[in-house]
Amino acid sequence: MKMDARPPILEADRLAVEVGRHKVCRDLDFTLQPGDTLVILGRNGAGKSTLLHTLAGLREPVGGAVLLSGQPYAAWPRGHEACLRGLLAQSQPDFFSASVLETALVGRHPYLGRWDWESPEDEAIALDALATMGLDGFADRQVPTLSGGERQRLSIATLLVQQPRLYLLDEPLAHLDLHHEICVLEHFRKLAAGGAGVAMVLHDINLAARYASHVLLLDGAGGHLIGSADRVLTAERLSAAFGHPLRAIADGERRLFVPV
């Protein structure tokens, strides 16, 4: 992975994660550097969301440690981790009857004092994020009037307003059409190129092959394989992890994986 004078944005040190008696991973070691995009793949129930929440500091691991910019979450001043790490959860809460702009501005809360109000600069950041997600002109719309895809893009825009160094995304493409899927992935590729770290759960193997610099493949039984996308994404390994045979097809310099 890339060299950087600062500590890794995210580090897992012999990480062990379990849900009940189900082992998600054991002895997981990796570092996520600025510019890296890590995609987590695995079949349903493998524990991808549970692992992502553990990496976000919202769930205690069974063993090992998670370090955010070189320190465990508990070492950061309360609330400061939200300026460094942002999480897009798979399940979004029911939105209050608020405007799109008011909802997007929630992303600025980590930077505000208890009695502070959002500044014109905060509003400009929110409007820019909404435009990035194709929601320009939606600022005054009430959130309950939005479609599922529009709500998903609003959730992503709210995360962008937070401006963390680390983006943790759980199924960011849910409810999105093809055009918006690519727009979202291209934007996070751009953020990574600018020095952010990105880790995301995806279901589409071919989009993972297109956008991931690194892949973490969970086998559903506690085992894992992590490394560069080229190394991890092979038909043999994917077939074993997903329990269905796949074959690789060359498309110029790209590889596509199709079920047999």
Side-chain angles (χ1 to χ4, degrees):
M1 293 189 178
K2 303 175 181 67
M3 299 298 294
D4 192 282
R6 297 171 295 177
I9 294 176
L10 182 69
E11 183 175 0
D13 180 17
R14 298 184 62 82
L15 188 66
V17 178
E18 297 180 6
V19 183
R21 296 184 178 180
H22 173 67
K23 291 180 172 60
V24 176
C25 64
R26 302 180 298 268
D27 295 328
L28 173 61
D29 291 299
F30 74 84
T31 59
L32 188 73
Q33 301 284 2
D36 288 340
T37 297
L38 172 70
V39 171
I40 303 171
L41 292 174
R43 67 177 72 184
N44 291 345
K48 301 182 293 296
S49 296
T50 299
L51 174 58
L52 199 73
H53 282 219
T54 305
L55 296 176
L58 302 180
R59 194 177 189 281
E60 286 294 324
V62 172
V66 176
L67 302 180
L68 175 67
S69 292
Q71 297 189 75
Y73 278 95
W76 289 105
R78 184 174 179 83
H80 185 71
E81 77 283 355
C83 299
L84 300 172
R85 177 270 293 138
L87 171 68
L88 178 74
Q90 180 184 145
S91 299
Q92 301 298 331
D94 291 334
F95 289 95
F96 292 103
S97 184
S99 73
V100 166
L101 178 58
E102 289 169 337
T103 302
L105 281 169
V106 171
R108 299 307 295 165
H109 285 186
Y111 302 94
L112 302 177
R114 179 173 297 180
W115 306 112
D116 291 343
W117 290 91
E118 296 88 352
S119 67
E121 180 182 357
D122 293 322
E123 185 171 324
I125 292 170
L127 290 171
D128 181 65
L130 291 173
T132 297
M133 287 295 106
L135 295 172
D136 42 335
F138 281 61
D140 295 328
R141 283 271 300 271
Q142 292 295 301
V143 174
T145 70
L146 302 181
S147 70
E150 289 166 344
R151 291 189 186 202
Q152 179 73 355
R153 285 186 279 139
L154 174 56
S155 296
I156 297 171
T158 304
L159 179 64
L160 297 179
V161 171
Q162 190 176 334
Q163 296 182 325
R165 290 187 67 214
L166 170 65
Y167 292 89
L168 300 174
L169 314 172
D170 196 356
E171 298 190 29
L173 307 184
H175 308 296
L176 300 185
D177 57 31
L178 177 61
H179 168 74
H180 288 109
E181 285 182 350
I182 300 302
C183 286
V184 165
L185 292 174
E186 287 289 343
H187 186 69
F188 281 104
R189 171 185 275 176
K190 179 180 177 181
L191 290 173
V198 179
M200 69 178 88
V201 172
L202 292 181
H203 284 289
D204 191 313
I205 295 169
N206 291 313
L207 288 177
R210 179 171 176 175
Y211 287 97
S213 62
H214 299 80
V215 170
L216 169 58
L217 184 61
L218 301 177
D219 68 7
H224 68 272
L225 179 65
I226 187 167
S228 68
D230 288 341
R231 173 175 172 263
V232 174
L233 296 179
T234 67
E236 180 181 6
R237 288 169 175 154
L238 291 169
S239 298
F242 285 96
H244 189 90
L246 295 112
R247 62 190 178 97
I249 298 175
D251 179 22
E253 296 182 356
R254 291 179 180 171
R255 290 172 302 153
L256 301 175
F257 296 93
V258 297
V260 176

